[in-house]
Amino acid sequence: MNARVSKSLSDSLTTPVVSSAHLAAGASPALSELEFSLTLIATAYQRWMTRCAAAAGHQLSALEVLVLHSIRHRDRPKRLSDITLVLDIEDTHLATYAIRKLQAAGLVRAQRAGKEKLLVATDKGKEFCEVYRQIREKLLVGRARDGGPTEEELSEIAERLRILSGSYNQAARAAATL
């Protein structure tokens, strides 16, 4: 291998992997690298949720899967505002539409508690969540464990991503005032 090719290969191995070099040229190339990785993982995660849902017997969008799992969480009734808060959904109509589709599929139902409308997973919804969990265990959990981060490292990564999400939310609020 000649010296120029060797140097070019060496440089490319140390250059951050980014989708927008103009953003990486700023003060934090590593942040641009993280953002590209987030794009890839978000896309892969959404693809995974829809395909796992299909394998579990329902054609659901990624948001519908997230909403259903949120409603099912701890098997306690949820208000729409609880769901949008936990999932950080700004446009309530997106959650409302997802809930309507889940109701039409018989996976969730609404019930009243005084003036409040609460959402609960039906038996069919709980069964779907269990099949989804089994498929996830079979196809994803083992693969993620093999050579991947430990449980403790995954928890640390999750915590750091939650902290970063606060920075992005704050920056989004500031950008809205420009």
Side-chain angles (χ1 to χ4, degrees):
M1 190 179 321
N2 71 34
R4 189 161 70 203
V5 172
S6 179
K7 174 149 179 37
S8 176
L9 180 58
S10 175
D11 288 347
S12 69
L13 294 175
T14 59
T15 303
V17 177
V18 298
S19 64
S20 302
H22 59 281
L23 297 176
S28 182
L31 187 59
S32 294
E33 187 174 18
L34 173 70
E35 290 169 345
F36 184 52
S37 296
L38 289 172
T39 299
L40 296 177
I41 197 160
T43 303
Y45 181 53
Q46 289 181 7
R47 182 180 308 116
W48 157 253
M49 285 187 288
T50 59
R51 300 269 169 84
C52 186
H58 288 276
Q59 297 297 320
L60 301 177
S61 71
L63 181 60
E64 291 158 7
V65 172
L66 289 171
V67 168
L68 177 55
H69 286 306
S70 183
I71 291 170
R72 173 77 202 281
H73 181 62
R74 300 191 197 280
D75 287 322
R76 285 185 264 196
K78 307 290 185 308
R79 297 183 313 238
L80 175 63
S81 60
D82 297 330
I83 296 163
T84 58
L85 176 67
V86 168
L87 296 178
D88 198 18
I89 299 171
E90 190 172 331
D91 297 326
T92 305
H93 73 279
L94 295 174
T96 301
Y97 182 70
I99 290 165
R100 277 195 218 124
K101 286 185 68 180
L102 293 169
Q103 286 175 311
L107 300 171
V108 300
R109 65 179 168 76
Q111 63 185 37
R112 292 267 177 208
K115 293 183 178 185
E116 282 194 306
K117 178 181 169 184
L118 300 173
L119 298 155
V120 295
T122 63
D123 288 341
K124 185 177 177 182
K126 290 176 184 178
E127 181 182 329
F128 167 83
C129 288
E130 177 56 24
V131 173
Y132 184 101
R133 186 193 69 76
Q134 290 171 2
I135 294 167
R136 181 178 174 273
E137 288 288 323
K138 180 179 179 182
L139 299 179
L140 183 65
V141 173
R143 194 172 291 235
R145 279 185 163 172
D146 294 343
T150 65
E151 287 293 303
E152 294 78 22
E153 290 168 331
L154 283 173
S155 289
E156 184 179 326
I157 292 167
E159 181 179 358
R160 288 175 186 249
L161 288 172
R162 286 190 301 273
I163 291 167
L164 268 173
S165 75
S167 297
Y168 277 96
N169 277 327
Q170 180 62 36
R173 282 190 290 278
T177 67
L178 297 178

